[in-house]
Amino acid sequence: VVHAGWRGTAARVVQGAVRLMQDLGAESSDMYAVIGPAIQGACYQVGSDTARHFPSSVVKHSDADYRVDLPRCNQLQLMEVGVPKEQIEVSRSCTHCQPELSSYRRDQDRAERMGAFLVLRS
């Protein structure tokens, strides 16, 4: 389980996680990934100082407005290290515009927290 907000995505933490698993003997071609829920690109407005950390393929720019598609960026990063696209599920649930999901950006100090877990079965 990896959390990748904008700083983690810019630092390529998902690729670091894949490399750690590869060091333990895993093959990226055998990996499956699920991304999300997350703030989606249409809702994730950032300044140019943040947008500059990302490839233009995941940044939409108009006037002084920058929007970054973090889920897509993480998907591309996973594919760069060999996880097949068809084995990456990207949630389209938006934590910003869906009030039933937690969003610090939307709710600030009133925001609830989400959690995730992973179970290994043999």
Side-chain angles (χ1 to χ4, degrees), residues 1-2 13-28 31-33 78 81 83 118 120:
V1 177
V2 178
V13 296
V14 296
Q15 290 183 336
V18 169
R19 288 189 181 103
L20 284 172
M21 290 186 285
Q22 289 169 328
D23 290 346
L24 296 171
E27 297 289 335
S28 56
M31 294 180 190
Y32 289 79
L78 287 165
V81 291
V83 179
L118 174 71
L120 296 176

Side-chain angles (χ1 to χ4, degrees), residues 60-120:
K60 290 190 178 169
H61 172 60
S62 60
D63 298 324
D65 183 47
Y66 293 86
R67 310 261 171 172
V68 177
D69 190 341
L70 292 179
R72 176 71 176 147
C73 190
N74 281 287
Q75 179 187 33
L76 292 172
Q77 290 179 13
L78 287 165
M79 291 166 47
E80 285 175 9
V81 291
V83 179
K85 182 178 182 178
E86 57 275 358
Q87 292 172 202
I88 304 169
E89 181 178 333
V90 182
S91 173
R92 292 294 162 216
S93 295
C94 181
T95 55
H96 187 266
C97 63
Q98 291 177 253
E100 68 275 13
L101 297 174
S102 181
S103 171
Y104 185 81
R105 181 169 277 245
R106 181 190 62 227
D107 300 329
Q108 299 295 306
D109 290 335
R110 297 170 306 159
E112 295 178 353
R113 299 294 181 252
M114 293 190 295
F117 62 92
L118 174 71
V119 176
L120 296 176

